[in-house]
Amino acid sequence: MSLAFDPAVDFALLLAVPGLPLVGYVLQIFLRKNLPHGDKLLTAGMFVSMCLTLVLGAKALHAAHAGERFFHESAAHGLSFGWLYTKGTVPESANIVLGILYDPLGAAMLAVVGIVSFCVHLFSIGYMHGTKRYPIFFANISLFTFAMLGLVLADNLLVLFIFWELMGAMSYLLIGHFSHDPSQPFFHRWATWASKKAFLTTRIGDCLLFIGIFILWDKFHTLRFTELWAAARETVAANGGEFPAWLTWAGLCVFGGTVGKSAQLPLHIWLPDAMAGPTPVSAMIHAATMVAAGVFLLGRMYPLLSPDVLAVVTVFGASTALFAATIGTTCYDLKAVLAYSTISQLGFMVAAVGLGGVVAGMFHMTTHAFFKACLFLSAGSVIHGCHHVQDMRLMGGLRKKMPVTFACMLVCTLAIAGVPLFSGFYSKDKIIQAGFLRVGDIQTFDGWSVYALICLCLAAALTAFYMFRLVFLTFFGEYRGNLKEHRYSAMLAAEGVEGPDPNEHAEHDEPSHDAHGAHGQDEHGHGGHAEHGGHAHHAPTPAAAHVVHAEEHGHGHDDHGHHAHEPHESPLVMTVALAILGFLGVFGGHFWLTAPQTAWSGHPWFEALVSEQSLYGPEIAEWIAPEPVGEAVAHHAHLHEVAHHRAVLASLCVAGFGIFLAWFLYIRRKDLPARVVAFLGLGYTAVRRKYYVDELVDATVIRLTWVLVRVQKAFDENVVDGLVKLVGSTNKLGGNLAAWFDKVFIDGAVNAVAMASQVFGAAFRLVQTGRIQQYAAFAVGGAVLTAAWLILA
Amino acid sequence: MGLGAYVAVSGALFALGVITILARRNVIYILMGIEMILNAANLNFVAFNRFGSMQLDGQMFAIFVIILAAAEAAVALAIVLNVFYLFDSIKPSEADLLRE
Amino acid sequence: MTEHILSWITFIPLIGMAAILFVPRANVALAKTLAMIATGIPLILATWLYFGLYDKDNGGLQFVRQYDWIAGIRAQYYVGVDGLSLPLVWLTTLLLFIGVPASFGIEKAQKAYYALLLLLEVGINGVFVSQDYFLFYVFWEVMLLPMYFLIGIWGGPRREYAAIKFFLYTLAGSVLMLVAIVALRIDMGAIESVKNPFSIPEMVAMAKSGLLDGSHLPFGGELLGMAFATWVFWFLFVGFAIKVPIVPFHTWLPDAHVEAPTPISVILAGILLKLGGYGMIRACFPIVPEAFHQFAYVLGVIGVVSIVYGAFVALGQTDFKRMVAYSSVSHMGYVLLGLAALTTWGTTGAALQMFNHGTSSAVLFLVVGVIYDRAHHRDLNGFGGLAQVMPKYWALTTLGFFAALGLPGLAGFVSEAMTLLGAYESALPGFKVLVLISVIGIVITAAFLLFAMQRVFLGKLNPKYAGYQDMTFREVFCQAPFLFLCVALGVFPWFLTDWMRASIQLWVDTMKG
């Protein structure tokens, strides 16, 4: 089999890559009663899909090795079909045509998604065993994988958007997976509104992206990436080298989509709540794939982002990185730490793009996918092994009991902390290098870059710190899971928390519907304990009543201090998945499939594969990242050298500092953390309460929305409908008036005529006396009168 | 004397007859009044005949009138008798069933 | 035979109605069977017409039959179909066909009910195929009366109020329309080159050539201080707008929907509302194009107000059906926005939205009907956790809700995207701002639908409903075709756009030219 790209075969294979999970979904949904091993079938399908992505990815590497540009659009080969089209006065290309784009970035993402998804499938077989709606779970993650793979392969922005939103819908369903499961009382309620919150928050970002699509469609009448890049370049050239205002706005709107999907400040609020979903979901969606889609979008749309937009991107990214990192240091829930870590790392990626290091950002995206997925799955393994305890304060000393999990988690923590030789070091280093490059070069120096660099370095330090804090708390020391109930409560009380933590996961619903209010402190205190008291010595399956000590989530906890559950290692199917990802977490940074010298010189494989040239083609690359010529070459190389050294130095320092601090506080002097917390006082509380962002959102956006709703509803019922009812009652009034008029006047006139004839009749009747002599007298009188008249006249 | 005298007499007789009809409270008297009117007309006929054309028209009419008066008196008396049976009185003002 | 296919489709339900009237009252099964046949045959005919007989590349009227009808006023029986009305005709037949099994739960006076249902189908189909304005108006009124009875007799507690409100409100609009129609007729009658003064295509042609300007009217064409084209436009527009319905003429809809029985709500939302939009496209805008150009922006504003306001008010509802009713108001706003923008994409989006809203709102109302049949109330706050008891119901509802909120991959997205893209690229000024505002509606729509989902299906199970039976075959059968269409048209939208293309292009060219 040759490693050259053959359009006829390979596009078909590329269709099969998302096609297999889709087929799996359809089979599982419609035939699940006939498929007792549907989960294994879907996992096998995913395995095949993954192998395809690796094979196709190998072709990309081969091309890079051979120095050729690897960029394949199916539309260019005539393999596309029209989807939305209308004949008309707009140019023919202004139709939405479906085609596939396969380039190095796509190849890398495809492989990453394929591997992570396969590992998650494998892991879920063990983790989700025995839960309610188990087959549906597999169907949903397969469909999600289909959506993500489709997004990577999309060659135009609208199709990308379609898959983007489809992923959002699947995320909604997957986060809400436990909301159907009353045997998980804690998640049961949390997941219902967490899924809604995730969908709505990302939808705000999606709508911004949608607006960006409108603007681009209106001006360019095409949404294909290659054409967008070319059109942007021409527009800027025609505008004298400046980006026109509307293009800047379009870029900002596109970035808005990233802010939503990749959980940047201020739309990050959904990601910590997304932890209400099962851990494999968190691993796949909220670590590796969906949130990476936002960064991927930036990668695809990079040539359209003007310098102003990039500055905004940098600020958002760097701020998010630091913001989330600070919160991560205070969390006690295993998954919460990882969630904030994800937000922080996404901030790194976004900031990288903003600082001009598109490739660095993409690289970090791929390494992050591996090690974060592994971290989440390891966390899942820990949670599973500890019988669904999530609070780190109830863990400890697990490294002997769960060695494989410990190993995987440790290597991935080393990766995320940026320790050399692990993949994360390379990617993070590249990002910081991009920052130093911008700061070090007079031409590109600006205040935002300095700000970003400082934020990123601090964030890196904090990352190392809190990740090792996590490792030390969970795996070292003594096992605290047997903590007596009152001691645990005392521990909480010492922190100033009474009972369940009424913190940020407040309900954002209509205030009157307090039935679901998150502020129900009482209900979960001891009553909850009684509810779950009976589950004592069950086998460690999630189907048994769960004890969830996710104290951060404020809905109370059920304490099981006095039942001694021994934590244990997870079953093989889970550990294998962990091992695969762990391996990649370590070595994902430096595959040496390219020329040996590249590997030995320390340059990671990604850079050999993905560069501005390979992504956007020579003309665009020349525009966005012009190669220096002449004397500038040496200067440029020198700058790079300097930046590289500074970056390595900075990375090592911050990582070392962070690890040292974590070791010091959590191994050496375990009494210090409490004293530090006490010392920091209110500042600590603010961070612990996530800077009250959720409360702020609740008080402003949510309340404003409800006010608007109530105003409009009242307007509708009283004013608009009131007008209609007024018209109705006016008509009735008019009707009554007309009836009155009719009765009195018209009918009255008729009656008056009748009365008149009656009156006259009565008058004339008086003549009729019946007396003949009177009649005779009248006759004679009349005759006389007549005669007189005749004679005289 | 001439025609005028006879016409005056018949006129006076006519007027008396009318007054009798109108004013008397006894139907028999009313019948008498009717007779008087008829005879006044008779007198008129004969007078005009004597002083007019000297044909026999007036006298023929007078004879017709006498016959009719007789017939009419018979009928009228029959009616009066019935009225008396109905109203038990010969006062014309008591036969007022046809009033409104 | 096939040239008369439109008349067959329109009048077979009438034959069915006559047949049902002879069925003894007690024999409900026979009435149901007859109703299914009388609605099934038009569906088959319409499908055959759609896939087999219709010529996609011809944008003009096809299957035209034109016969003189009332010689005194020169009204004709003039029917024809083009790419704009054909999908709606097909949708009508489908909706009415599904309406029959959906009505199997009706318990009193079934014979009368099915007879009225068939009469309703006659009226609706008639409107879609009429090309003579008098005929159009006759069918328009024919469609009103059965609705009045269907709501007023078989409806909920406030049914008389809702029925009379619906009837009088729509009738008021129709009366305005009638004034305009009469004026047009008089003006057309005075133009020599016109053969059939009631004919809508000829009115359009006359309007295009500038001859239809009201100068032949006895009072000179001006009314209430407005020029002929202006007042005719507004009278016709208001008449159709009440049906669409757009804010502020929409308040009859929530009451009518809430009180109507489920299958009637399905038909009301599924196709009756489209009559307004279709009426605007066919019989209002092309006849007074200058007025349309003059007021296009106003129409766009009204559309956007409907979108956003409808969504917000829907969010505040506690009655499930009322919420869906307001979501209908919101979705129909896209139609107006797309039409007002006067671009090919906008008009295609509007036409698609009419069809897709028909399918997705049919699903939504059937969904409400399922739970109402069991619980006999529609209070959103009174439910909870139903997904645990009725998983199939939850799954189908989720699909329906996602279709309603415009999730890509489902039909609603295609029409909304095309409408908004088309509106954004409109040559008329000010539409960009309108599109940006209507994006708010997208978020709020998602909010109220998911909020309803949460309240009804997720969370803690209300023990009252623990014993509820999941969806029956009949209920799934009723929802299945619409769900299938929502998915299929989301993935393969060309099954609609290919048929509509030519006619829409013709319409846009006519309006622009």
Side-chain angles (χ1 to χ4, degrees):
Chain A
M1 180 185 76
S2 93
L3 282 177
F5 190 87
D6 176 12
V9 174
D10 289 328
F11 279 122
L13 288 178
L14 280 172
L15 274 180
V17 167
L20 283 167
L22 180 65
V23 168
Y25 173 78
V26 171
L27 284 176
Q28 185 76 315
I29 291 287
F30 288 109
L31 293 177
R32 64 181 177 278
K33 296 199 178 57
N34 303 327
L35 280 178
H37 292 288
D39 53 341
K40 315 225 175 18
L41 182 69
L42 258 59
T43 311
M46 201 58 231
F47 179 76
V48 174
S49 190
M50 174 183 84
C51 293
L52 283 173
T53 63
L54 291 173
V55 163
L56 291 162
K59 296 199 177 190
L61 274 174
H62 173 79
H65 175 68
E68 294 163 3
R69 181 163 183 240
F70 186 85
F71 192 91
H72 298 280
E73 271 189 294
S74 71
H77 294 275
L79 293 166
S80 62
F81 68 95
W83 189 60
L84 284 185
Y85 50 90
T86 57
K87 278 204 279 260
T89 50
V90 290
E92 274 304 316
S93 68
N95 294 321
I96 303 295
V97 166
L98 299 181
I100 295 179
L101 171 60
Y102 194 58
D103 68 340
L105 181 60
M109 274 302 281
L110 219 57
V112 165
V113 172
I115 295 172
V116 170
S117 185
F118 168 66
C119 291
V120 166
H121 274 81
L122 203 57
F123 186 85
S124 306
I125 295 178
Y127 187 82
M128 298 295 290
H129 180 70
T131 54
K132 203 173 164 198
R133 291 173 71 234
Y134 176 78
I136 301 285
F137 180 81
F138 273 88
N140 283 346
I141 52 174
S142 283
L143 189 66
F144 173 85
T145 310
F146 157 74
M148 184 68 200
L149 292 169
L151 182 138
V152 171
L153 289 171
D155 76 337
N156 73 56
L157 194 52
L158 191 68
V159 174
L160 187 144
F161 181 75
I162 290 172
F163 284 116
W164 176 281
E165 290 248 20
L166 197 56
M167 280 205 299
M170 297 321 298
S171 169
Y172 171 80
L173 291 176
L174 283 166
I175 294 174
H177 193 259
F178 284 143
S179 60
H180 299 247
D181 196 348
S183 69
Q184 315 236 15
F186 176 70
F187 290 113
H188 190 44
R189 294 214 345 222
W190 185 25
T192 43
W193 56 264
S195 53
K196 180 184 69 166
K197 183 175 175 181
F199 191 84
L200 287 179
T201 314
T202 50
R203 193 136 244 246
I204 296 175
D206 297 345
C207 284
L208 286 170
L209 177 56
F210 209 14
I211 294 175
I213 293 178
F214 296 152
I215 301 176
L216 290 171
W217 171 258
D218 180 41
K219 295 288 185 190
F220 292 145
H221 278 297
T222 176
L223 291 172
R224 259 171 77 183
F225 291 119
T226 41
E227 289 171 10
L228 280 176
W229 300 331
R233 181 163 151 263
E234 279 158 27
T235 310
V236 171
N239 205 27
E242 294 287 317
F243 276 78
W246 56 265
L247 193 53
T248 304
W249 281 109
L252 281 174
C253 288
V254 168
F255 179 58
T258 304
V259 169
K261 209 60 140 194
S262 296
Q264 301 297 295
L265 216 59
L267 294 177
H268 66 285
I269 49 180
W270 64 273
L271 197 52
D273 280 306
M275 299 300 117
T279 310
V281 167
S282 307
M284 182 154 78
I285 298 186
H286 306 123
T289 48
M290 186 170 97
V291 293
V295 184
F296 180 79
L297 175 71
L298 283 181
R300 281 275 190 251
M301 298 294 285
Y302 184 71
L304 279 92
L305 303 177
S306 73
D308 297 322
V309 174
L310 288 175
V312 170
V313 168
T314 311
V315 168
F316 270 85
S319 314
T320 307
L322 185 58
F323 176 84
T326 55
I327 300 178
T329 60
T330 63
C331 292
Y332 287 113
D333 180 356
L334 205 49
K335 283 174 71 172
V337 176
L338 293 175
Y340 282 104
S341 158
T342 306
I343 300 176
S344 179
Q345 295 303 307
L346 287 166
F348 268 91
M349 294 176 222
V350 168
V353 172
L355 288 168
V358 185
V359 177
M362 301 300 121
F363 185 30
H364 195 57
M365 185 169 69
T366 56
T367 57
H368 173 264
F370 290 133
F371 59 66
K372 189 47 70 59
C374 182
L375 281 170
F376 263 106
L377 292 185
S378 313
S381 178
V382 167
I383 293 169
H384 183 85
C386 290
H387 309 290
H388 293 268
V389 170
Q390 285 184 207
D391 191 333
M392 289 194 290
R393 292 172 293 193
L394 293 167
M395 299 178 187
L398 292 177
R399 71 177 185 277
K400 297 187 191 67
K401 302 190 173 103
M402 309 174 77
V404 179
T405 308
F406 168 65
C408 292
M409 199 151 217
L410 183 63
V411 298
C412 289
T413 307
L414 286 166
I416 196 175
V419 171
L421 290 186
F422 294 87
S423 63
F425 168 72
Y426 295 101
S427 55
K428 209 179 278 196
D429 175 57
K430 284 286 164 211
I431 296 177
I432 301 202
Q433 178 181 343
F436 273 110
L437 194 59
R438 266 191 92 84
V439 170
D441 186 357
I442 297 288
Q443 287 170 345
T444 57
F445 178 90
D446 63 6
W448 301 122
S449 308
V450 175
Y451 169 77
L453 193 59
I454 295 173
C455 284
L456 290 177
C457 290
L458 282 173
L462 287 171
T463 305
F465 168 69
Y466 66 69
M467 287 310 297
F468 270 93
R469 168 178 175 267
L470 185 150
V471 169
F472 292 146
L473 276 178
T474 310
F475 293 104
F476 288 77
E478 292 196 358
Y479 181 57
R480 294 180 293 273
N482 302 321
L483 208 55
K484 288 270 182 268
E485 182 187 308
H486 66 269
R487 270 185 67 189
Y488 184 50
S489 303
M491 204 162 74
L492 291 180
E495 200 189 305
V497 175
E498 292 171 24
D501 200 358
N503 86 32
E504 71 282 4
H505 302 288
E507 270 278 36
H508 296 303
D509 293 334
E510 172 75 311
S512 63
H513 301 308
D514 261 318
H516 300 284
H519 313 289
Q521 293 199 17
D522 315 315
E523 48 198 300
H524 288 283
H526 297 277
H529 171 69
E531 200 184 340
H532 295 283
H535 83 297
H537 307 286
H538 286 308
T541 58
H546 297 304
V547 179
V548 178
H549 292 257
E551 185 262 359
E552 268 74 8
H553 310 293
H555 288 276
H557 51 283
D558 301 285
D559 199 334
H560 286 264
H562 45 268
H563 296 293
H565 303 286
E566 279 304 306
H568 58 85
E569 186 57 87
S570 301
L572 187 66
V573 71
M574 292 163 67
T575 49
V576 163
L578 284 179
I580 297 173
L581 286 173
F583 175 79
L584 287 168
V586 174
F587 295 107
H590 40 244
F591 258 105
W592 48 79
L593 290 177
T594 54
Q597 58 266 34
T598 317
W600 285 120
S601 67
H603 284 276
W605 62 278
F606 197 86
E607 288 208 330
L609 186 64
V610 178
S611 64
E612 275 96 349
Q613 264 80 18
S614 64
L615 280 186
Y616 309 116
E619 299 100 29
I620 308 287
E622 182 57 37
W623 170 47
I624 56 177
E627 288 294 323
V629 284
E631 314 96 38
V633 175
H635 177 63
H636 191 77
H638 171 70
L639 283 174
H640 269 271
E641 195 74 22
V642 164
H644 181 60
H645 288 149
R646 285 179 182 166
V648 170
L649 193 64
S651 304
L652 288 173
C653 282
V654 297
F657 175 70
I659 298 174
F660 171 75
L661 194 63
W663 171 82
F664 190 73
L665 285 177
Y666 292 99
I667 299 289
R668 189 91 172 84
R669 294 281 305 274
K670 292 198 187 146
D671 57 311
L672 274 186
R675 285 170 61 179
V676 170
V677 166
F679 175 71
L680 290 172
L682 278 178
Y684 177 80
T685 317
V687 179
R688 182 94 181 85
R689 297 278 175 271
K690 284 75 177 158
Y691 299 99
Y692 301 106
V693 174
D694 275 304
E695 284 84 347
L696 192 67
V697 166
D698 196 29
T700 53
V701 176
I702 308 296
R703 273 185 212 279
L704 178 68
T705 308
W706 283 114
V707 164
L708 282 173
V709 166
R710 274 195 286 266
V711 162
Q712 290 184 69
K713 183 172 173 211
F715 178 79
D716 196 63
E717 274 165 23
N718 299 322
V719 177
V720 182
D721 211 23
L723 272 172
V724 173
K725 291 197 181 116
L726 189 67
V727 168
S729 40
T730 310
N731 277 341
K732 262 210 316 218
L733 190 68
N736 289 341
L737 205 66
W740 172 83
F741 182 81
D742 192 59
K743 198 162 79 126
V744 169
F745 288 101
I746 309 222
D747 214 27
V750 171
N751 289 343
V753 166
M755 193 121 48
S757 40
Q758 255 193 331
V759 164
F760 276 114
F764 280 123
R765 214 182 301 129
L766 294 171
V767 173
Q768 306 290 339
T769 52
R771 292 197 244 145
I772 40 178
Q773 282 174 317
Q774 190 169 325
Y775 294 161
F778 276 125
V780 168
V784 167
L785 281 171
T786 310
W789 180 65
L790 280 172
I791 292 172
L792 293 174
Chain B
M1 282 195 277
L3 183 58
Y6 289 101
V7 172
V9 169
S10 81
L13 195 56
F14 184 86
L16 285 171
V18 171
I19 288 167
T20 310
I21 289 175
L22 295 181
R24 282 297 195 177
R25 280 184 235 158
N26 194 331
V27 290
I28 306 297
Y29 283 117
I30 291 176
L31 287 177
M32 279 195 227
I34 295 171
E35 291 299 318
M36 281 166 81
I37 290 173
L38 286 169
N39 285 316
N42 259 351
L43 198 58
N44 233 7
F45 274 123
V46 169
F48 273 99
N49 189 43
R50 163 70 176 80
F51 288 97
S53 66
M54 293 302 282
Q55 298 277 354
L56 285 174
D57 302 333
Q59 291 177 5
M60 286 300 294
F61 253 107
I63 293 175
F64 271 114
V65 172
I66 291 168
I67 295 167
L68 281 168
E72 173 265 329
V75 173
L77 276 168
I79 291 173
V80 166
L81 265 174
N82 276 306
V83 167
F84 176 68
Y85 282 143
L86 189 59
F87 292 105
D88 254 344
S89 159
I90 51 168
K91 272 181 143 187
S93 61
E94 305 227 340
D96 60 357
L97 279 184
L98 279 179
R99 72 172 149 85
E100 272 296 327
Chain C
M1 161 65 194
T2 53
E3 354 32 290
H4 295 287
I5 193 166
L6 294 176
S7 306
W8 283 116
I9 293 177
T10 308
F11 288 111
I12 283 181
L14 192 64
I15 301 173
M17 174 190 171
I20 286 187
L21 288 175
F22 284 108
V23 167
R25 201 185 310 164
N27 195 347
V28 177
L30 183 59
K32 287 180 184 173
T33 316
L34 279 174
M36 286 214 74
I37 296 174
T39 51
I41 297 180
L43 177 61
I44 295 170
L45 287 176
T47 312
W48 179 36
L49 174 62
Y50 195 88
F51 286 109
L53 298 171
Y54 186 77
D55 177 10
K56 282 184 268 182
D57 295 315
N58 175 9
L61 287 175
Q62 297 181 33
F63 296 96
V64 173
R65 302 314 300 164
Q66 204 169 358
Y67 302 110
D68 288 328
W69 182 28
I70 302 178
I73 52 175
R74 294 161 75 194
Q76 286 191 310
Y77 178 78
Y78 181 8
V79 296
V81 80
D82 71 352
L84 286 165
S85 44
L86 182 60
L88 293 171
V89 168
W90 187 86
L91 185 63
T92 308
T93 55
L94 178 69
L95 270 164
L96 269 295
F97 176 69
I98 296 293
V100 175
S103 308
F104 282 174
I106 300 281
E107 258 142 45
K108 60 172 177 177
Q110 289 96 333
K111 177 176 143 173
Y113 178 93
Y114 290 115
L116 285 169
L117 202 67
L118 291 172
L119 187 60
L120 186 62
E121 179 165 11
V122 173
I124 302 174
N125 269 326
V127 172
F128 282 131
V129 302
S130 298
Q131 303 299 327
D132 177 286
Y133 227 142
F134 186 79
L135 188 67
F136 182 95
Y137 191 78
V138 166
F139 277 122
W140 184 272
E141 298 298 309
V142 163
M143 167 261 299
L144 268 190
L145 200 63
M147 266 325 265
Y148 170 74
F149 285 116
L150 287 166
I151 298 177
I153 299 180
W154 286 273
R158 284 169 78 227
R159 54 186 179 271
E160 293 96 353
Y161 167 76
I164 204 106
K165 192 170 177 180
F166 159 76
F167 187 77
L168 287 181
Y169 211 144
T170 319
L171 193 64
S174 307
V175 164
L176 285 174
M177 263 168 62
L178 186 60
V179 173
I181 293 172
V182 168
L184 284 169
R185 163 66 180 83
I186 296 176
D187 205 42
M188 286 285 282
I191 302 174
E192 288 108 37
S193 51
V194 165
K195 288 197 294 260
N196 305 301
F198 268 116
S199 148
I200 296 177
E202 284 195 53
M203 284 187 193
V204 173
M206 287 298 120
K208 214 168 145 86
S209 60
L211 289 171
L212 189 64
D213 58 357
S215 48
H216 304 284
L217 286 172
F219 50 88
E222 276 207 6
L223 187 68
L224 304 174
M226 296 192 273
F228 179 72
T230 309
W231 72 261
V232 165
F233 171 78
W234 282 113
F235 276 32
L236 288 174
F237 177 73
V238 168
F240 291 124
I242 290 176
K243 214 85 189 111
V244 172
I246 54 165
V247 177
F249 301 121
H250 63 285
T251 51
W252 61 270
L253 189 68
D255 288 313
H257 266 136
V258 164
E259 301 301 329
T262 301
I264 299 305
S265 290
V266 167
I267 294 170
L268 179 58
I271 197 67
L272 233 71
L273 306 185
K274 318 306 181 270
L275 290 168
Y278 169 77
M280 285 185 204
I281 297 179
R282 173 75 70 210
C284 174
F285 296 158
I287 295 180
V288 276
E290 331 79 79
F292 173 74
H293 286 295
Q294 196 184 345
F295 295 112
Y297 188 70
V298 174
L299 295 185
V301 169
I302 295 175
V304 171
V305 167
S306 292
I307 295 174
V308 176
Y309 177 84
F312 268 104
V313 181
L315 186 51
Q317 299 301 326
T318 52
D319 180 326
F320 203 164
K321 227 173 176 187
R322 244 185 131 84
M323 180 194 91
V324 179
Y326 277 106
S327 85
S328 283
V329 173
S330 179
H331 281 140
M332 292 306 281
Y334 286 100
V335 173
L336 199 55
L337 181 63
L339 288 175
L342 201 57
T343 57
T344 313
W345 275 63
T347 312
T348 313
L352 280 177
Q353 176 77 341
M354 287 202 288
F355 191 93
N356 291 328
H357 174 257
T359 53
S360 69
S361 70
V363 173
L364 290 180
F365 279 107
L366 286 169
V367 157
V368 175
V370 167
I371 194 63
Y372 182 73
D373 282 344
R374 288 157 178 68
H376 298 294
H377 76 88
R378 291 180 300 261
D379 181 17
L380 284 167
N381 297 323
F383 296 117
L386 285 179
Q388 295 163 40
V389 184
M390 305 167 78
K392 216 192 306 187
Y393 178 48
W394 175 77
L396 291 178
T397 305
T398 306
L399 189 56
F401 273 24
F402 276 134
L405 68 84
L407 188 75
L410 298 173
F413 171 74
V414 174
S415 46
E416 277 177 19
M418 284 191 90
T419 306
L420 293 174
L421 282 169
Y424 195 84
E425 62 173 2
S426 167
L428 305 167
F431 271 85
K432 294 185 171 36
V433 172
L434 292 181
V435 169
L436 294 180
I437 298 174
S438 50
V439 165
I440 300 174
I442 297 181
V443 179
I444 303 292
T445 304
F448 76 73
L449 283 168
L450 290 183
F451 190 34
M453 169 95 82
Q454 178 190 331
R455 284 184 284 186
V456 174
F457 291 101
L458 305 177
K460 199 158 149 191
L461 175 63
N462 194 327
K464 267 195 291 182
Y465 308 117
Y468 276 1
Q469 189 204 9
D470 206 350
M471 289 177 77
T472 61
F473 173 75
R474 177 179 70 89
E475 286 163 343
V476 174
F477 173 79
C478 288
Q479 284 191 27
F482 300 114
L483 285 171
F484 171 75
L485 283 171
C486 283
V487 176
L489 291 173
V491 181
F492 312 116
W494 59 83
F495 275 107
L496 275 181
T497 54
D498 263 4
W499 274 257
M500 292 178 175
R501 268 192 285 132
S503 302
I504 288 182
Q505 196 51 54
L506 205 59
W507 188 85
V508 171
D509 289 337
T510 311
M511 293 301 299
K512 273 197 179 141

